[in-house]
Every structure is written in structure tokens, then in C-alpha cells.
Amino acid sequence: MMEAGVHFGHGTRKWNPRMAPYISTKRKGIHILNLTRTARFLSEACDLVFDAASKGKQFLIVGTKNKAADLIARAATRARCHYVNKKWLGGGMLTNWYTTETRLHKFRSLRTEQKTGRIHSLPKKDTAILKRQLSHLKTYLGGIKYMTGLPDIVIIVDQQEEYTALRKCITLGIPMICLIDTNCDPDLADISIPTNDDAIASIRLILNKLVFAICEGRSSYIRNS
């Protein structure tokens, strides 16, 4: 964990006092996270996702930081999870599921028209408009194109960055696992994993552990089906 920089928090002036139990010390103006606590909560999170995956539950991974977007997509794809890695769409992506379903139906319809070539048989202006619509929908809905209902568990990579998604999950009562840095509130998620949420190596390490547990759980579900 130390090699991945998991222990590095934010500057001591930029912190949430509720994170005090998860901080071991401060060094050169930076809070240092207690890795024993990180390991404990990561283990609990892995147990939770393994158990859920072994029962066929569905996951949504949310992380829209530009530098982590590809990492989120790869991790989610490997574990056959849904994901949002560009922007959390307004209009109630989860809280107004009917609207999201309508958008997804439009997206799937346009993808089918593109694959069959029908989209190219239209007048050039119409083709250009539909291509722009498809590109927009792919960017924001591509990671949830196979989602048919609300997820059972949501994994949030950066609490501060994804605060809107976090609040929506709280409203809907969807269990959450959240990666939290020293400027976050550890009491908002069901399981909060103290970690450096700015370093790619740190995010990758935590996500890889969670994804491995999900994959193991899915294998168990298939064996027992």
C-alpha cells in the first residue's frame, strides 16, 4: 500500500475532523492515513462485494475524474459491472429511473441503426444529427448500457467529486462503498475505505482488490447456479 501512495492524505489545512480516527500522523503539512484501518475496511468491503456477487447482485462503479476514467472502465468491464466514468447526468440518473431507461432505449436504438447501416441511408443532415446524438449518449451512458434497473451496490471512487451520486444513493437507500481521503466524511457510506483518492496507483490498488472479490463471487454464483 505504501508503494502505491495509499497513505498520503491532503494537506493538514484541508481536512474533515471526522477523519481523525483514520489518520495516524502528519508529515510536512500532509496528513498520513492509518493503513491498518485502510486494510481493515478494504477487507470488509471485499467480503461485502464477494457475498453480493455470489448472490447475483449488480454493481455500479462511479468515478468521473479524467485521469481515472480509463481505469474505472477497465476495472468495471473486467468484473462485468456497470460504470459511470465521464459525468453524472442530471435529471435523476438513478432517482428518475424512467427517464434513464428512455435515454438507454434511445441509445440502444441508435446503436442498432448504426450496426445495420440504416443510419447511413438517411439524408446527410439527419445522419450527422443522429451520429452526434449517438456519440453523446455513448459518452455518458456507455458504461450503463446493459443496466436494466437500479444497482444493488454502488462503489464511489471519490466522495468529494461524486457527491451528487452519493446523495442520490442515500436517498434511494442503495448500499455504498466509498474511497475517502482526509477531506471526506467517513459516515456517509456503508463502508468507507481511507485512501489517497488522487493517486492513480492508489485507486488502482483498491479497485483491483474489489474487482477480484467481485469476480470470485461471480464465479461462485455460476458454480452454484
Side-chain angles (χ1 to χ4, degrees):
M1 285 188 182
M2 292 191 73
E3 289 181 3
V6 172
H7 57 302
F8 290 121
H10 285 284
T12 53
R13 293 183 180 181
K14 187 182 178 184
W15 79 302
N16 187 325
R18 291 184 178 179
M19 285 296 295
Y22 307 92
I23 295 170
S24 61
T25 186
K26 60 180 73 172
R27 187 186 305 159
K28 296 181 180 179
I30 295 175
H31 276 129
I32 303 298
L33 289 163
N34 185 330
L35 292 184
T36 301
R37 285 261 177 155
T38 299
R40 172 191 160 191
F41 289 110
L42 176 57
S43 178
E44 287 184 12
C46 287
D47 289 343
L48 175 66
V49 297
F50 174 86
D51 184 61
S54 67
K55 295 175 181 175
K57 302 296 186 181
Q58 295 300 308
F59 302 84
L60 173 66
I61 301 177
V62 182
T64 60
K65 282 184 176 179
N66 285 335
K67 62 182 180 181
D70 290 341
L71 173 61
I72 301 297
R74 287 196 301 270
T77 301
R78 182 153 59 96
R80 301 196 304 280
C81 297
H82 311 294
Y83 66 92
V84 175
N85 70 336
K86 293 297 182 182
K87 179 183 178 182
W88 186 265
L89 284 181
M93 182 178 278
L94 294 182
T95 51
N96 189 356
W97 180 246
Y98 175 78
T99 298
T100 301
E101 276 190 314
T102 302
R103 289 170 171 169
L104 287 171
H105 179 75
K106 177 67 174 178
F107 177 41
R108 293 171 189 137
S109 177
L110 286 175
R111 288 181 75 223
T112 300
E113 290 188 15
Q114 184 185 50
K115 288 179 180 178
T116 59
R118 183 179 178 278
I119 198 171
H120 300 290
S121 65
L122 300 171
K124 286 186 177 180
K125 184 177 179 180
D126 293 338
T127 298
I129 291 173
L130 291 179
K131 279 186 172 181
R132 281 198 298 272
Q133 287 182 6
L134 180 59
S135 177
H136 176 80
L137 291 170
K138 182 178 181 180
T139 298
Y140 298 113
L141 299 179
I144 63 168
K145 58 181 176 289
Y146 299 119
M147 200 157 80
T148 56
L150 295 177
D152 298 294
I153 293 178
V154 174
I155 298 170
I156 293 178
V157 170
D158 183 329
Q159 186 189 94
Q160 291 288 316
E161 192 81 14
E162 317 304 339
Y163 193 71
T164 300
L166 181 142
R167 296 304 307 178
K168 300 301 182 185
C169 290
I170 291 174
T171 298
L172 292 166
I174 299 174
M176 282 179 292
I177 294 168
C178 200
L179 277 63
I180 56 167
D181 212 319
T182 53
N183 62 335
C184 297
D185 185 343
D187 300 325
L188 294 180
D190 296 85
I191 297 180
S192 293
I193 305 172
T195 187
N196 179 352
D197 63 13
D198 291 318
I200 290 296
S202 174
I203 296 171
R204 182 186 295 113
L205 186 149
I206 302 297
L207 270 185
N208 281 346
K209 295 286 187 182
L210 293 171
V211 161
F212 180 78
I214 292 172
C215 290
E216 289 291 294
R218 292 207 190 283
S219 296
S220 174
Y221 176 71
I222 292 171
R223 286 195 304 269
N224 297 324
S225 295

